[in-house]
């Protein structure tokens, strides 16, 4: 099944799967039910080296490639979407932009503890009034003396309230739209920076989703990330890769739903025969497996291209779009196979369905992915 992977990637998958089953899976239903973040799981992911998979060892990372990272997100999400999104948001969104755009000093100060998992990273783009239209950022940044003064609110920020380091966008000149936006780094505890309410969500309930508030928050001049007025591009480039990790989450959730369905269909009997013996059930399973395999090729292809340093705007969006919509279809079929049992919390498949829904929204809705793909093919 994984014939296209190297021996190292196959071994890495086995290692992460064992970690996911031993450490992450036992808490998945509990954190979904309580809506509580598991600090213990985060700490164990850090010890395992998951929180810095694609970053060089000299910066505290595991020194592996982007495909290994996609496999890690897939395997964690196969048992727990909440833990999968915590990992994906930390690595792809909170840490990657510092690796890609940070100065050497910023890398030493922020990247190393993030990649080691000593700190949690987060990415503040979305605002109460601007989600899909990211260029309409209302948060402002003004340079006063040698400090940036930030005002505004971010919303729906994964790990926002628990993060130590947050990269975020703010506009220096709102009349310039996307070209007026710069990117910055803020540390937890900075005066004028606080977190507001934590969202009570449909799915991914064991992950934290917060409001972030800047009220005359002052940060040092050197906390600009990249160049002035380049923040929109930095964030779009970051999302190109982040979308691969959302695709990997879709892959993992769908695989988890398929595995649970096969187990159920082997054990459950109908008129004296296991469900698996019925061709209509076999059709559902064949369709689920086919779609998962197609998504796996798209996600791994995009991850490989990223590792080669290619532009992946189109491939990242395609991988995310297909894998997230596929995860919805597959988890719906998984509930169908389970019948009434699938609607209860005795089985994981209703959780997979709720968790999959976020994937069609976070890091750009399916509608935004279609716009991005069409623009890549047709031009703007
Ligand atoms: N890489 C680099 N530069 C890019 C880029 C990319 N992928 N995409 C656009 N740009 C550049 C453009 O080239 C353009 O620059 P020039 O004018 O110099 O050529 C500039 O950025 C502006 O681009 P557009 O004119 O295309 O911008 P737009 O306003 O039309 O918007 C959009 C484009 C695709 C709709 C964009 O706004 C978008 O992706 N929106 C969705 C935002 C999103 O995904 N939000 C998710 C939030 S994060 C999240 O959910 C995380 C979480 O915690 C779960």
């Amino acid at each position: 099944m994984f014939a296209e992977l190297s021996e190292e990637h196959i071994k890495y998958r086995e290692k992460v799967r064992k970690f996911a089953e031993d450490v992450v899976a036992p808490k998945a239903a509990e954190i979904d039910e309580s809506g509580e973040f598991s600090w213990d799981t985060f700490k164990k992911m850090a010890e395992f080296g998951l929180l810095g998979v694609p970053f060089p060892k000299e910066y505290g990372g595991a020194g592996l490639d982007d495909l290994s990272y996609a496999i890690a997100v897939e395997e964690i999400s196969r048992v727990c979407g909440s833990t999968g999104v915590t990992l994906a948001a930390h690595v792809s969104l909170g840490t990657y932009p510092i690796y890609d755009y940070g100065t050497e000093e910023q890398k030493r100060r922020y990247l190393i503890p993030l990649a080691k998992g000593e700190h949690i990273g987060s990415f503040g783009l979305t605002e109460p009034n601007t989600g899909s239209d990211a260029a309409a950022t209302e948060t402002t940044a003004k340079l006063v003396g040698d400090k940036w003064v930030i005002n505004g609110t971010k919303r729906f920020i994964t790990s926002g309230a628990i993060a130590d380091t947050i990269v975020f966008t703010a506009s220096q000149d709102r009349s310039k739209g996307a070209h007026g936006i710069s990117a910055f780094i803020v540390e937890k505890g900075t005066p004028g920076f606080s977190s507001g309410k934590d969202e009570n969500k449909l799915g991914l309930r064991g992950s934290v989703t917060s409001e972030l508030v800047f009220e005359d928050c002052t940060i040092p001049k050197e906390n600009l990330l990249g160049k002035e007025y380049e923040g929109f591009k930095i964030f779009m480039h970051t999302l190109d890769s982040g979308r691969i990790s959302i695709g990997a989450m879709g892959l993992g959730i769908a695989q988890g739903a398929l595995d649970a369905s096969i187990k159920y269909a082997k054990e459950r009997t109908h008129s004296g025969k296991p469900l698996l013996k019925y061709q209509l059930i076999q059709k559902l399973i064949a369709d689920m497996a086919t779609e998962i395999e197609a998504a796996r090729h798209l996600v791994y292809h995009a991850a490989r291209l990223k590792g080669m340093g290619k532009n992946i705007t189109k491939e990242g969006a395609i991988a995310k779009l297909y894998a997230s919509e596929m995860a919805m279809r597959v988890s719906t079929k998984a509930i169908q196979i389970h019948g009434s049992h699938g609607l209860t919390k005795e089985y994981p498949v209703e959780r997979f369905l709720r968790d999959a829904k976020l994937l069609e929204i976070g890091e750009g809705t399916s509608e935004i992915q279609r716009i991005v793909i069409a623009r890549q093919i047709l031009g703007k």
Side-chain angles (χ1 to χ4, degrees):
M1 181 182 185
F2 304 126
E4 80 277 20
L5 293 181
S6 68
E7 268 305 306
E8 283 99 57
H9 288 116
I10 292 169
K11 284 208 179 98
Y12 187 64
R13 177 194 294 285
E14 284 165 5
K15 256 177 72 182
V16 181
R17 181 168 289 196
K18 182 161 177 10
F19 173 86
E21 286 179 348
D22 293 351
V23 176
V24 183
K27 290 209 180 84
E30 183 192 320
I31 63 171
D32 171 62
E33 188 70 16
S34 67
E36 275 175 30
F37 180 79
S38 173
W39 288 98
D40 180 56
T41 302
F42 191 86
K43 201 170 146 270
K44 288 185 174 137
M45 285 204 289
E47 284 161 10
F48 190 90
L50 282 172
L51 297 164
V53 175
F55 306 113
K57 290 187 175 162
E58 59 166 312
Y59 290 119
L64 299 175
D65 60 6
D66 290 288
L67 180 55
S68 303
Y69 166 55
I71 290 169
V73 173
E74 176 187 348
E75 288 300 325
I76 299 294
S77 304
R78 180 177 159 272
V79 301
C80 178
S82 296
T83 308
V85 79
T86 300
L87 170 63
H90 171 85
V91 173
S92 292
L93 301 183
T95 308
Y96 239 122
I98 299 178
Y99 175 61
D100 281 341
Y101 296 97
T103 60
E104 191 52 35
E105 209 180 315
Q106 287 171 338
K107 286 183 190 167
R108 298 268 153 222
R109 185 176 172 96
Y110 300 113
L111 174 60
I112 293 175
L114 285 167
K116 285 183 174 171
E118 293 164 358
H119 285 177
I120 302 184
S122 184
F123 176 89
L125 175 66
T126 303
E127 300 188 352
N129 299 320
T130 61
S132 292
D133 187 9
T137 295
E138 291 178 356
T139 298
T140 57
K142 276 202 179 73
L143 191 60
V144 179
D146 61 352
K147 299 220 184 285
W148 294 102
V149 181
I150 314 291
N151 279 289
T153 303
K154 299 285 174 181
R155 200 172 168 199
F156 303 124
I157 308 304
T158 304
S159 301
I162 55 170
D164 302 275
T165 307
I166 300 102
V167 294
F168 68 96
T169 49
S171 180
Q172 288 182 252
D173 183 347
R174 294 201 51 214
S175 70
K176 289 191 178 145
H179 299 282
I181 294 173
S182 297
F184 302 90
I185 306 171
V186 66
E187 292 177 28
K188 183 183 189 165
T190 302
F193 174 64
S194 59
S195 56
K197 68 169 178 168
D198 188 13
E199 306 291 343
N200 182 4
K201 309 184 293 289
L202 169 78
L204 302 179
R205 292 174 47 77
S207 70
V208 174
T209 308
S210 329
E211 192 174 58
L212 299 176
V213 182
F214 298 87
E215 287 170 304
D216 284 331
C217 168
T218 54
I219 58 173
K221 195 177 172 190
E222 56 274 16
N223 279 26
L224 177 77
L225 180 65
K227 294 193 183 123
E228 278 184 72
Y229 302 108
E230 299 255 307
F232 186 80
K233 289 184 186 176
I234 291 173
F235 269 52
M236 289 301 116
H237 178 247
T238 301
L239 282 169
D240 286 346
S241 316
R243 287 168 182 162
I244 305 175
S245 69
I246 298 292
M249 281 189 67
L251 206 46
I253 289 174
Q255 186 68 54
L258 175 60
D259 294 348
S261 300
I262 293 172
K263 181 171 183 292
Y264 181 83
K266 268 186 193 158
E267 291 165 1
R268 175 81 176 176
T269 56
H270 173 83
S271 301
K273 281 198 297 187
L275 286 187
L276 265 189
K277 296 284 176 195
Y278 290 88
Q279 284 189 333
L280 283 176
I281 297 292
Q282 290 174 10
K283 178 196 182 296
L284 285 171
I285 286 176
D287 288 348
M288 291 156 86
T290 302
E291 288 209 68
I292 292 172
E293 206 51 25
R296 186 166 281 120
H297 283 282
L298 292 175
V299 171
Y300 290 3
H301 175 61
R304 283 185 170 119
L305 289 182
K306 175 171 166 57
M308 292 158 81
K310 306 267 188 204
N311 181 306
I312 45 142
T313 302
K314 184 179 78 183
E315 287 76 9
I318 288 178
K320 183 210 189 264
L321 174 64
Y322 185 78
S324 56
E325 294 192 344
M326 177 281 295
M328 283 297 288
R329 290 192 293 272
V330 166
S331 50
T332 304
K333 287 189 173 105
I335 294 181
Q336 202 63 25
I337 291 173
H338 284 71
S340 299
H341 292 102
L343 301 171
T344 72
K345 296 204 184 282
E346 274 172 58
Y347 292 88
V349 286
E350 61 83 35
R351 170 164 56 84
F352 287 134
L353 177 68
R354 287 186 288 104
D355 287 351
K357 186 61 205 169
L358 174 280
L359 309 182
E360 294 185 319
I361 294 173
E363 299 203 33
T365 60
S366 292
E367 290 73 18
I368 290 292
Q369 305 315 311
R370 289 185 166 89
I371 289 173
V372 170
I373 296 161
R375 281 185 184 178
Q376 288 293 310
I377 295 168
L378 306 170
K380 191 167 168 188

